[in-house]
Amino acid sequence: EVQLVESGGGLVQPGGSLRLSCAASGFIFSNYAMSWVRRAPGKELEWVSTISRSGDNIYAADSVKGRVTISRDNAKKTLYLQLDSLKTEDTAMYYCARAKNTYDYCSGSWCSWADFGYWGQGTQVTVSS
């Protein structure tokens, strides 16, 4: 059974940092590109960042570029998202998502839930003073 379990969210002041983690199980982690997406209350899903299977290719949304760093540890089967210089508009539920297959992945603002094979339950990030 594929499982993705996010952690690391919380309440942080503007300008602060958080590191999100996603523990994967039930599939060969190193065979799939992985992504972070987020959904703010009352808004549509927003793609945040994607990392290729090996970690050689990284993509990030313009809204977070320069403030977030996606990484992965294939030996630990864990995906990370470092969030820095957080803004109030970063407040959202953050989900890690697995690519639908091993040979292709979505990596842009057009990504929707249908472009991913699995996602976790999410971890809440709230940026507020």
Side-chain angles (χ1 to χ4, degrees):
E1 178 188 6
V2 172
Q3 286 195 321
L4 298 168
V5 180
E6 301 93 337
S7 62
L11 173 64
V12 63
Q13 292 186 340
S17 297
L18 282 174
R19 190 192 194 202
L20 308 184
S21 299
C22 171
S25 62
F27 64 101
I28 301 175
F29 184 70
S30 58
N31 281 359
Y32 292 86
M34 297 294 296
S35 300
W36 287 96
V37 297
R38 67 186 183 185
R39 186 167 185 175
K43 294 190 177 181
E44 296 294 319
L45 181 74
E46 181 184 12
W47 168 78
V48 176
S49 187
T50 295
I51 186 168
S52 62
R53 296 181 296 181
S54 65
D56 289 345
N57 297 309
I58 290 175
Y59 312 85
D62 288 342
S63 60
V64 300
K65 198 168 291 182
R67 299 189 298 114
V68 306
T69 304
I70 191 171
S71 61
R72 64 190 298 162
D73 186 330
N74 285 343
K76 294 183 178 179
K77 302 179 183 180
T78 303
L79 177 72
Y80 303 99
L81 186 70
Q82 177 69 38
L83 301 166
D84 298 313
S85 302
L86 282 162
K87 304 176 180 180
T88 55
E89 52 262 45
D90 294 318
T91 295
M93 186 72 80
Y94 284 72
Y95 302 87
C96 72
R98 197 201 79 174
K100 293 181 73 172
N101 52 57
T102 60
Y103 52 85
D104 197 10
Y105 54 86
C106 192
S107 58
S109 59
W110 58 88
C111 296
S112 68
W113 291 115
D115 292 301
F116 302 106
Y118 296 89
W119 49 89
Q121 83 291 344
T123 186
Q124 178 68 39
V125 172
T126 302
V127 185
S128 175
S129 56

